[in-house]
Every structure is written in C-alpha cells, then in structure tokens.
C-alpha cells in the first residue's frame, strides 16, 4: 500500500500568534510544499515567488474548518489543493482505477 504524502505549507506572508507562545503561522496565499524541495506542488519556485516555508504547519491545518493555522489565510492555491487534497483527513479517497485494462 502506498504511503500518503504529508505536505507542509509555503505562504506569501506570516504572522506571529502571541497566544500560542509566539508561533510563526502562514498568512495570505498558501501553497502545498514537500519539505526538501525548492518548489511548491503546483510548480512555483519558492525563492523566485518569495514564498516563506512553514515546515511545522501541515497542509490540512490551512483549511478554515480545521481551526488550526487558517486564521489569516486568504486564499489556497487551487492547483495545490487538487494535488494535496481539498479537505482534511475525513475526505473521501482519491480516484483510483481498480480494474485496469490488460
């Protein structure tokens, strides 16, 4: 069985949450990012796009219904959302061919 990938967040801005002990959180437009790579899932270069990395924030925490780090997220990249998932862990599984043709 294939292991599901865990995506982190790259964002256009940041803010500091004083209530949780000065934790850095994403703001503005967010993209899914695999730690160890220099580009987002949708293909944007992190340095050329001036995106900040947040390896401690999971992609599912940027959804408004998660209640996590989504307080100041304005927009999620639709291309990243199509690859990394649009909803949390309770979402239905991705499409998979179960009976391939020979």
């Amino acid at each position: 069985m294939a292991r599901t990938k865990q995506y982190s967040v790259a964002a256009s801005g940041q803010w500091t949450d004083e209530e949780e002990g000065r934790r850095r959180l994403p703001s503005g437009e967010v993209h899914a990012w695999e730690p160890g790579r220099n580009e987002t899932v949708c293909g944007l270069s992190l340095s050329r796009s001036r995106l900040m990395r947040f390896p401690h924030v999971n992609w599912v925490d940027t959804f408004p219904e998660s209640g996590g780090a989504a307080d100041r997220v304005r927009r999620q990249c639709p291309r990243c959302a199509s690859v990394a998932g649009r909803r949390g862990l309770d979402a239905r599984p991705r499409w998979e061919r179960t009976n391939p043709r020979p």
Side-chain angles (χ1 to χ4, degrees):
M1 179 138 210
R3 194 179 111 202
T4 60
K5 291 185 179 182
Q6 295 294 322
Y7 295 102
S8 293
V9 175
S12 61
Q14 71 176 359
W15 67 286
T16 305
D17 188 9
E18 300 293 334
E19 294 176 2
E20 289 191 27
R22 300 187 50 84
R23 185 175 170 205
R24 235 176 28 103
L25 294 173
S27 67
E29 183 174 352
V30 294
H31 295 267
W33 165 67
E34 288 183 70
R37 302 209 42 167
N38 290 327
E39 64 181 9
T40 62
V41 174
C42 66
L44 289 177
S45 172
L46 292 175
S47 60
R48 289 186 182 182
S49 301
R50 296 184 183 183
L51 295 173
M52 290 173 255
R53 298 173 179 103
F54 295 89
H56 59 281
V57 178
N58 291 329
W59 172 250
V60 295
D61 289 340
T62 62
F63 297 111
E65 60 271 6
S66 71
D71 291 343
R72 298 201 184 162
V73 171
R74 299 247 184 238
R75 180 178 183 267
Q76 289 181 331
C77 172
R79 292 185 292 176
C80 290
S82 68
V83 174
R86 294 191 182 274
R87 292 178 278 155
L89 299 174
D90 60 338
R92 67 180 189 189
R94 296 173 73 182
W95 182 85
E96 184 178 320
R97 182 183 300 266
T98 56
N99 190 7
R101 288 189 255 170

